[in-house]
Amino acid sequence: MSAPAQMIPPAALHLAPHLVLSWQDWLNLFGHYLLLSAMSLGGAISTSSEMHRFLVEQHHWLTQDQFNQSITLAQAAPGPNVLFVALMGWHVGMNAGSTGAALFGVLVTMVGIMTPSTAITYTAARWGHRNRDLRTVRAFKQGMAPVVIALLLSTAWILGTSSSGGGGGNGGSLAEWRLWLLSVAACLLIWRTRVHLLWLLAVGAVLGAFGLV
């Protein structure tokens, strides 16, 4: 089940699709996560913008709400934040209609995202440690830093601009203005203090529950 890339209709932001996935679709999902794994130099979260394009915009296998929930829950839960990938696979499987498919979705996405990156990281880390004093190695590390930061900013942009259904209407603009103000405040607190991330997530959840962001 494939569809060309197009703008997301407002209803698709909230209504879970009913999917009929063929083995080719599952293989396509697995292959896409294999490719993303090779790109995830800053962690899997740095490739979430591409996951959004593939799952939400191109194939409509996830709603915008399901995509946001996957990342938010994984960030709030203990353990590695790569679990958001498992949640995306779970949602894809549930949209296909069964818990078995959801578990299969978790398997497909997690094996795909973990296998290449683990092998590359293990090999590169050993080589880089042995050659850490080489000028080319130091230059590569410094050059990758802005790339990783840019990928993280693109993820923040996707999550922020989608929170009000794409920012349409005056109400959406106001909500985005408050959301971006909160985001900047959170960034400053993380940068300048040692406040735990869970406190910031809790404040965001309370403000969201009261409709303030």
Side-chain angles (χ1 to χ4, degrees):
M1 178 179 178
S2 299
Q6 58 185 23
M7 292 187 64
I8 306 171
L13 297 172
H14 309 291
L15 300 177
H18 298 287
L19 303 178
V20 179
L21 299 180
S22 66
W23 284 109
Q24 181 61 42
D25 291 323
W26 286 113
L27 185 61
N28 190 19
L29 179 64
F30 179 65
H32 193 73
Y33 271 85
L34 283 177
L35 291 175
L36 290 179
S37 179
M39 297 172 54
S40 57
L41 297 174
I45 192 70
S46 64
T47 59
S48 56
S49 58
E50 173 57 23
M51 296 178 194
H52 179 274
R53 186 198 65 78
F54 183 82
L55 295 172
V56 180
E57 297 180 7
Q58 182 176 353
H59 291 290
H60 307 302
W61 288 346
L62 289 184
T63 65
Q64 183 65 53
D65 284 350
Q66 289 174 326
F67 183 86
N68 290 355
Q69 290 166 9
S70 298
I71 293 181
T72 304
L73 287 174
Q75 296 298 316
N81 64 11
V82 74
L83 293 178
F84 80 90
V85 174
L87 288 172
M88 290 179 183
W90 174 270
H91 282 306
V92 170
M94 289 302 293
N95 291 341
S98 70
T99 304
L103 293 174
F104 186 66
V106 172
L107 178 66
V108 167
T109 54
M110 287 302 290
V111 172
I113 200 67
M114 293 298 296
T115 302
S117 59
T118 301
I120 293 173
T121 300
Y122 178 75
T123 304
R126 288 172 60 87
W127 184 89
H129 183 72
R130 289 197 303 269
N131 300 277
R132 57 186 179 280
D133 295 328
L134 292 178
R135 184 176 183 180
T136 52
V137 173
R138 297 200 307 271
F140 177 79
K141 291 180 178 179
Q142 292 178 0
M144 288 306 300
V147 175
V148 173
I149 292 173
L151 289 171
L152 292 174
L153 289 176
S154 69
T155 300
W157 177 261
I158 287 175
L159 295 177
T161 55
S162 64
S163 63
S164 59
N170 294 330
S173 300
L174 179 60
E176 286 188 6
W177 178 82
R178 292 173 176 173
L179 180 63
W180 288 115
L181 180 61
L182 177 63
S183 300
V184 171
C187 288
L188 292 175
L189 287 173
I190 294 171
W191 178 34
R192 304 299 295 181
T193 71
R194 294 182 179 274
V195 62
H196 199 284
L197 291 179
L198 288 180
W199 285 111
L200 300 178
L201 289 171
V203 171
V206 172
L207 294 176
F210 284 97
L212 298 177
V213 293

